[in-house]
Amino acid sequence: MEQYIIRGGNPLVGEVDISGAKNAALGILAAAIMTDETVLIENLPDVRDINVLLEAMESIGVKVERITQHAVLMNSAQIGEVSVDYEYIKKIRASYYLIGALLGKYKRAEVPLPGGCNIGSRPIDLHLKGFKALGARVEIRNGFIVTEAEHLHGSHIYLDTVSVGATINIMMAAAMADGRTIIENCAREPHVVDVANFLNSMGANIKGAGTDVIRIRGVQKLHKTEYSIIPDQIEAGTFMFAAAATKGDVMVKNVIPKHLEATTAKLLEIGCEVEEFDNAVRVVASKRLCSTNVKTLPYPGYPTDMQPQIGVALALAKGTSIVTESIFENRFKYMDELARMGAIVRVEGNTAIITGVEKLSGARVSAPDLRAGAALVIAALAAEGVTVVDDITYIQRGYEEFDEKLRSLGAEIEKINSEKEALKFRLRTG
Ligand code: EPZ
């Protein structure tokens, strides 16, 4: 099983290029099947989640041609069926975006019900409520969501909870429904806007994405397009906190600073210097970080996907901090791993109380989920001694060339497969 081995202590210094946004790409790839014409998608991140979704799409007949590491040509004129195999949804929940796309275009879809995941139960009741409001019959049969409609009609839908997935899935189905749809209490994340912009580039009529009310006029047909995915704000934020935790000086390039405002605000609060450029941000941390309090909220609030990264930075800060996770019910599992590195943390329900320590020490830890895994790597980069991180497949789901990018910033990190390789790393870096 592949692991990361890390010798901490080096400040991260230099420049890093951010890849395309995984969570925008997942919705956009699904939406691309809504036209029979050829679609070119660029700035795709080369990460496991994207590659698995492309396989799931090929399995239902989508023609996928990878023309570069970060670009695909897709044609969905030959989709033979609308049933997605369980194998794929088991590997990646976001295959459920295929429901909205298939239902919108073919008025039928059969996709396995996604299970829970390591950060919470993650129901999809709001997705299904939206499909029903548009006139679809929805049934759970043998672990599959089976949905179909003679035709889809516009509707006025209110989302009880702000949900990125429900907003995107319903928007796709409504894009080809008859008439007007209004979705209220929508998610406003940049990746929601990116999917809306992509659909509009294919001829959809979607207004208001990025606000909490999205208005859609259904169209009969969608046409070909060429589209480039926005930069990944969560990958960018992860490198910004890695610079902060290692007292480094990192220029994070190919970003949209506006998408990073909540992250930047917190980095300034804990004592970092942050300089913004047109498509880059520079983070400098020259002294020990200060404590602060943070609560995760839907965009533009502080992102839940950046909660483990600030949690790790605060474990090294002067003073006591309080982190409140208001989106998912089980997103503090990494705190136990962090305690094994010497952090002083106490989790009470959806709140973590963190008393900063001067130093963390290297240990054997395992990644409980994607963002927590990346945060544990940040902890290891700042710790004294050697850390081995298990279960790094979680991290590879959402971070392209994570160890390569960190090494280019001066980190002592390698991907290893055996004790022998671990020993060689220890001897070389010891
Ligand atoms: C998306 O998940 C992201 N995943 C998550 O990123 C991210 O953490 C989350 O949005 C919040 O920003 C992708 O985009 C692929 P939600 P999603 O629906 O859409 C509840 C990562 O690290 N809810 O916005 O599943 C839900 O339980 C991943 O890249 C319902 O109750 O999140 C949660 O408490 C992790 N019913 C809240 O809403 C529903 O039908 C927000 O979830 C849907 C959601």
Side-chain angles (χ1 to χ4, degrees):
M1 195 69 158
E2 275 189 330
Q3 301 163 312
Y4 285 140
I5 187 165
I6 298 143
R7 183 179 293 282
N10 296 4
L12 296 189
V13 178
E15 297 186 347
V16 64
D17 264 320
I18 297 305
S19 303
K22 165 181 85 80
N23 292 345
L26 292 168
I28 286 169
L29 288 175
I33 69 171
M34 297 181 78
T35 175
D36 284 342
E37 297 177 17
T38 298
V39 170
L40 169 65
I41 298 173
E42 297 176 302
N43 201 34
L44 264 184
D46 182 8
V47 295
R48 201 174 294 245
D49 271 10
I50 296 301
N51 298 331
V52 168
L53 183 59
L54 287 170
E55 285 167 26
M57 295 168 76
E58 285 183 300
S59 76
I60 61 171
V62 179
K63 298 263 176 301
V64 175
E65 186 193 340
R66 196 110 196 203
I67 48 179
T68 70
Q69 184 188 8
H70 300 121
V72 287
L73 275 174
M74 296 169 61
N75 184 291
S76 303
Q78 309 298 326
I79 285 186
E81 57 169 282
V82 292
S83 176
V84 178
D85 195 281
Y86 178 68
E87 267 318 294
Y88 298 108
I89 200 105
K90 197 170 65 174
K91 291 178 191 164
I92 161 178
R93 291 172 47 79
S95 313
Y96 58 41
Y97 282 145
L98 292 171
I99 307 172
L102 291 167
L103 183 64
K105 181 181 180 187
Y106 298 105
K107 310 302 182 260
R108 279 189 62 241
E110 274 184 36
V111 177
L113 199 59
C117 120
N118 310 26
I119 58 176
S121 63
R122 302 184 77 178
I124 61 165
D125 56 308
L126 297 176
H127 302 233
L128 306 185
K129 170 183 170 182
F131 299 147
K132 286 177 190 161
L134 295 171
R137 284 183 302 287
V138 179
E139 206 190 324
I140 307 294
R141 202 188 300 157
N142 309 111
F144 274 74
I145 300 160
V146 179
T147 176
E148 57 190 340
E150 277 64 54
H151 81 282
L152 295 177
H153 54 71
S155 180
H156 193 151
I157 299 162
Y158 184 84
L159 295 179
D160 313 61
T161 312
V162 174
S163 160
V164 168
T167 303
I168 290 175
N169 232 344
I170 297 165
M171 186 166 68
M172 285 193 283
M176 294 182 79
D178 300 337
R180 295 187 61 196
T181 295
I182 298 174
I183 313 172
E184 306 240 21
N185 199 25
C186 295
R188 299 186 273 170
E189 274 71 1
H191 31 292
V192 172
V193 178
D194 214 24
V195 176
N197 290 342
F198 173 74
L199 283 163
N200 284 339
S201 78
M202 293 204 289
N205 183 335
I206 299 170
K207 293 186 172 42
T211 74
D212 61 353
V213 182
I214 293 179
R215 298 171 193 285
I216 300 159
R217 274 188 185 285
V219 294
Q220 295 300 313
K221 224 168 124 55
L222 293 173
H223 55 67
K224 66 178 184 289
T225 186
E226 297 188 2
Y227 196 82
S228 183
I229 310 270
I230 55 168
D232 193 316
Q233 85 212 67
I234 304 301
E235 185 196 12
T238 303
F239 279 97
M240 292 165 78
F241 270 101
T246 59
K247 297 199 184 70
D249 177 349
V250 175
M251 182 72 86
V252 182
K253 294 166 61 187
N254 184 30
V255 300
I256 299 173
K258 172 105 187 93
H259 293 167
L260 300 166
E261 282 180 347
T263 299
T264 298
K266 282 299 169 191
L267 285 163
L268 291 169
E269 249 176 66
I270 62 176
C272 297
E273 295 157 51
V274 182
E275 197 178 349
E276 288 185 359
F277 303 86
D278 286 348
N279 57 3
V281 287
R282 181 179 176 192
V283 178
V284 182
S286 47
K287 55 189 190 313
R288 189 177 175 198
L289 302 173
C290 320
S291 60
T292 188
N293 298 328
V294 59
K295 177 175 184 181
T296 64
L297 287 168
Y299 191 85
Y302 188 84
T304 176
D305 290 350
M306 288 297 302
Q307 182 261 95
Q309 295 90 324
I310 195 169
V312 162
L314 294 173
L316 285 161
K318 213 173 27 264
T320 298
S321 305
I322 295 177
V323 178
T324 306
E325 171 56 62
S326 75
I327 307 290
F328 290 111
E329 62 269 30
N330 191 13
R331 203 161 197 175
F332 283 127
K333 284 210 306 236
Y334 69 98
M335 289 294 188
D336 294 337
E337 300 298 296
L338 209 49
R340 302 183 57 247
M341 298 175 74
I344 301 175
V345 295
R346 198 171 74 249
V347 175
E348 291 178 359
N350 70 341
T351 299
I353 299 104
I354 304 170
T355 306
V357 293
E358 292 265 357
K359 278 277 169 211
L360 292 172
S361 57
R364 178 85 180 259
V365 294
S366 69
D369 63 70
L370 163 58
R371 304 302 173 184
L376 289 171
V377 170
I378 294 176
L381 293 168
E384 258 175 358
V386 175
T387 298
V388 173
V389 183
D390 289 326
D391 302 322
I392 63 171
T393 46
Y394 280 116
I395 303 172
Q396 292 165 328
R397 290 184 49 186
Y399 288 91
E400 179 179 325
E401 299 174 352
F402 194 44
D403 51 314
E404 290 91 337
K405 291 187 180 184
L406 286 168
R407 261 198 307 279
S408 75
L409 294 170
E412 292 277 17
I413 177 173
E414 301 242 330
K415 219 185 343 248
I416 57 170
N417 246 319
S418 68
E419 269 313 307
K420 187 161 162 272
E421 290 175 352
L423 187 59
K424 272 170 63 180
F425 175 89
R426 288 174 189 274
L427 293 172
R428 182 172 61 75
T429 63

